[in-house]
Amino acid sequence: MGSLQDLASRPSTPAPATTAVSPSLDGAQIGEKVPAVMAGSEIEATRTFAEARAALSAKKYEEAAALFGRAARLKPGWSDPLAWKAQVDAKLGRFRETIEDCDEALKLNPNDAIVLNFRGFARYSLNHMEEAISDFNAAIRINPDYSDAFRNRGNARWAN
């Protein structure tokens, strides 16, 4: 039902207040592209996101979830930390939290097929099959080549 690899393989959504933010940029470069009052939280959000990815790579799932949540709070308009947190929460079996994270991420980026797939997976896991099928259908409409969404929709239809 999807994997953490899904997000790892997609390009990161650019941060709304900058032209590009990546963990490799130093504070001076970021500060030149954002208003001065935002520079500190932008930098901290980016660093926290990088720390979360490192924790995830080290299979420290609880730490990764907490750090992704912190990055999302530091930079409220950035959907990537919420999307990553949703997938970690799904891996930990916290499906209600997964749905909440996905709902928030979809408010910021409504056409994110990966997030729709993971919300569908969480709904499937909670035995909410009609909602799960709806999410899988939406993911397929956005990305007709998304094989995980097709497979998940089939599983949900079978279970329904």
Side-chain angles (χ1 to χ4, degrees):
M1 292 259 166
S3 69
L4 291 170
Q5 190 62 28
D6 288 341
L7 275 179
S9 64
R10 80 171 183 187
S12 181
T13 306
T18 66
T19 55
V21 173
S22 76
S24 63
L25 292 176
D26 67 27
Q29 291 170 311
I30 293 173
E32 293 171 3
K33 296 180 182 176
V34 297
V37 291
M38 293 296 291
S41 63
E42 296 267 341
I43 294 165
E44 188 61 29
T46 301
R47 286 185 182 141
T48 302
F49 185 75
E51 289 171 17
R53 299 268 316 256
L56 180 60
S57 292
K59 298 185 181 192
K60 297 178 181 177
Y61 300 119
E62 293 290 341
E63 181 181 341
L67 287 167
F68 284 129
R70 183 169 186 264
R73 286 187 303 278
L74 285 167
K75 188 170 177 183
W78 191 19
S79 67
D80 285 354
L82 292 165
W84 281 85
K85 184 177 181 302
Q87 291 195 53
V88 174
D89 283 338
K91 183 165 186 59
L92 293 170
R94 297 190 291 221
F95 301 116
R96 284 177 177 56
E97 285 183 39
T98 301
I99 292 169
E100 291 172 11
D101 295 334
C102 289
D103 288 346
E104 290 301 311
L106 289 166
K107 285 178 189 173
L108 299 168
N109 186 4
N111 293 317
D112 191 326
I114 294 170
V115 172
L116 284 162
N117 184 56
F118 270 87
R119 186 173 70 179
F121 170 73
R123 288 175 166 172
Y124 172 91
S125 299
L126 293 171
N127 204 28
H128 300 158
M129 295 307 163
E130 292 300 321
E131 292 173 324
I133 292 168
S134 176
D135 282 340
F136 298 138
N137 284 336
I140 291 166
R141 276 192 304 278
I142 292 165
N143 182 356
D145 297 325
Y146 195 6
S147 60
D148 282 349
F150 275 101
R151 183 175 45 255
N152 293 342
R153 183 179 68 181
N155 290 337
R157 284 178 173 168
W158 180 260
N160 199 18

